[in-house]
Amino acid sequence: MLPMNDRLISAAKGLATDRTPIWLMRQAGRILPEYRKVRETAKDFKTLVKTPELATEVTIQPVDILGVDAAIIFSDILVIPEAMGLNYEMEENKGPVFPKRITSEADLASLHIAQAEELQYVLDAIRLTKKELQGKVPLIGFAGAPWTIFSYMIEGKGSKTFSQAKKMLYTQPAFSHRLLDMIAQSTIHYLKAQIKAGADIVQIFDSWAGILSPDQYAEFSLKYISKICDALGNDVPKIVFAKGAFFARAEMNTINCDVVGLDWNMGIAESRALLPNKVLQGNLDPCALYGSLDDVRRETKKMLNAFGPHKHIANLGHGLYPDTEVDKVKCYIDTVKEYSATLRR
């Protein structure tokens, strides 16, 4: 059964819609006072992720408060390495840190391919969210791309260069492929279970795509994203968002996904030409939301004119920044809804 507002699913399938659907990466988060209130009741970020009732509450908040056309389950891409046997910690204002890194054969031997039941708390949150949404909007499931997960597991934390992770690709390519394949298999189990639990559409986030060369990206990242997309089949639409991988757009046109997310550095007309088989998602610069309300409206209309009225899902070129004002976010969403409808008349 399709949700009452099925614009996102229809658009992802390339079907015509009465207006452009919109959702935002990191829409459930620190920009909302309501989120911060729930966050204070959880002792830390991981408690919030691992408590289905709390995860459900913050997943649904942006639907009710901002009026987005989809909910995205509140979780983190790093639940996969944790399920594989590598624990992570989320340090306040610093981001993720792994007390132990993967640097040797012995480290690799300590990991296993994660099974869906090891991420039961996410699946429970999906089921509960679907129940609470009552068919209002679709629910997006997600996972990190194997290369991005690999980067954190090797580096042990975020990095500007991820030089340790890249070094591993050059010095130990066979080792790298074994770990990437384990991550890919874990992710297939995880996303299949999300779909079974009720996710209407899934997105693969490749946050660190842009730090690889085109050849390395083809070998160590896109190959595994393609493997995941093939394994998931065609039960629900699939979105691939590879930040910074402007050089891989032509190759992305050939993989088994329905939607390709663009960051703000990717030209819209050029992307249309390189990705004729795909619906495009994006791609307003999150910093555009720091402008005045009139600035936000102008930039939004400019973006919508460039994408045109069909085969487009509105989003940002990356996640919302936590210091963005709620009224600017609402202005972006409302302008997409109102102006995109006029482009279809």
Side-chain angles (χ1 to χ4, degrees):
M1 187 180 76
L2 282 171
M4 285 179 270
N5 173 356
D6 68 345
R7 291 182 183 92
L8 177 77
I9 305 301
S10 295
K13 291 177 177 176
L15 304 174
T17 52
D18 61 336
R19 62 168 176 80
T20 301
I22 179 165
W23 71 280
L24 307 174
M25 290 179 276
R26 293 205 198 114
Q27 64 187 24
R30 286 176 286 177
I31 67 150
L32 295 176
E34 294 85 351
Y35 166 85
R36 295 196 296 270
K37 193 174 173 185
V38 177
R39 174 70 180 78
E40 282 164 18
T41 67
K43 72 171 194 234
D44 54 32
F45 174 83
K46 284 178 75 172
T47 301
L48 186 51
V49 167
K50 292 188 174 189
T51 309
E53 295 75 15
L54 297 180
T56 293
E57 186 176 351
V58 295
T59 296
I60 294 173
Q61 283 175 347
V63 177
D64 296 334
I65 298 162
L66 301 174
V68 285
D69 291 312
I72 178 166
I73 196 67
F74 188 83
S75 187
D76 195 273
I77 63 171
L78 299 180
V79 299
I80 278 284
E82 184 170 67
M84 292 173 67
L86 193 71
N87 186 48
Y88 77 98
E89 295 168 359
M90 194 63 77
E91 293 189 357
E92 209 66 45
N93 302 318
K94 271 190 172 182
V97 174
F98 287 83
K100 187 173 178 295
R101 300 187 298 125
I102 302 301
T103 60
S104 67
E105 288 286 347
D107 295 336
L108 193 61
S110 72
L111 301 175
H112 64 276
I113 294 165
Q115 302 300 316
E117 54 270 20
E118 293 175 274
L119 291 152
Q120 191 62 47
Y121 57 90
V122 181
L123 308 180
D124 289 344
I126 288 173
R127 290 190 185 94
L128 185 57
T129 301
K130 287 285 284 192
K131 184 182 169 190
E132 296 292 328
L133 279 172
Q134 298 182 313
K136 198 185 294 184
V137 295
L139 178 61
I140 304 166
F142 73 92
W147 157 247
T148 288
I149 301 300
F150 174 99
S151 300
Y152 282 109
M153 292 174 83
I154 301 294
E155 207 80 26
K157 59 186 178 189
S159 165
K160 287 182 180 174
T161 61
F162 281 99
S163 55
Q164 293 301 311
K166 288 177 71 177
K167 177 184 176 183
M168 192 69 82
L169 304 185
Y170 281 108
T171 60
Q172 297 190 61
F175 178 96
S176 299
H177 277 302
R178 278 162 52 212
L179 178 52
L180 285 162
D181 194 62
M182 288 179 74
I183 298 166
Q185 289 184 62
S186 300
T187 304
I188 289 164
H189 293 159
Y190 181 42
L191 287 175
K192 279 185 172 179
Q194 288 190 40
I195 293 164
K196 191 175 175 186
D200 299 292
I201 182 169
V202 293
Q203 174 158 311
I204 297 170
F205 286 84
D206 204 357
S207 308
W208 302 114
I211 63 171
L212 292 178
S213 68
D215 286 349
Q216 278 198 319
Y217 191 71
E219 182 180 353
F220 293 104
S221 187
L222 198 58
K223 170 181 169 182
Y224 293 99
I225 292 173
S226 183
K227 178 177 179 170
I228 293 166
C229 288
D230 286 343
L232 294 181
N234 299 311
D235 290 342
V236 303
K238 302 176 290 287
I239 307 167
V240 173
F241 174 64
K243 188 175 182 299
F246 63 91
F247 48 78
R249 284 173 292 173
E251 290 75 15
M252 284 184 186
N253 191 52
T254 66
I255 69 171
N256 184 19
C257 72
D258 306 273
V259 182
V260 172
L262 307 182
D263 66 38
W264 66 89
N265 291 315
M266 297 178 184
I268 295 166
E270 184 185 45
S271 297
R272 280 271 184 234
L274 291 168
L275 292 154
N277 301 337
K278 305 299 181 190
V279 173
L280 301 184
Q281 178 176 278
N283 74 332
L284 191 73
D285 183 346
C287 289
L289 301 183
Y290 290 133
S292 68
L293 293 174
D294 284 342
D295 292 335
V296 172
R297 289 186 194 101
R298 186 187 66 248
E299 292 299 318
T300 304
K301 289 176 182 179
K302 188 170 137 191
M303 178 198 76
L304 290 167
N305 286 332
F307 276 108
H310 301 299
K311 291 182 75 174
H312 176 223
I313 296 165
N315 206 308
L316 298 170
H318 198 223
L320 269 171
Y321 297 140
D323 61 344
T324 311
E325 294 169 20
V326 177
D327 62 336
K328 308 286 178 61
V329 178
K330 193 89 173 66
C331 177
Y332 176 46
I333 293 164
D334 291 344
T335 305
V336 167
K337 290 180 176 181
E338 292 157 17
Y339 187 69
S340 69
T342 70
L343 295 178
R344 288 155 169 79
R345 287 173 196 156

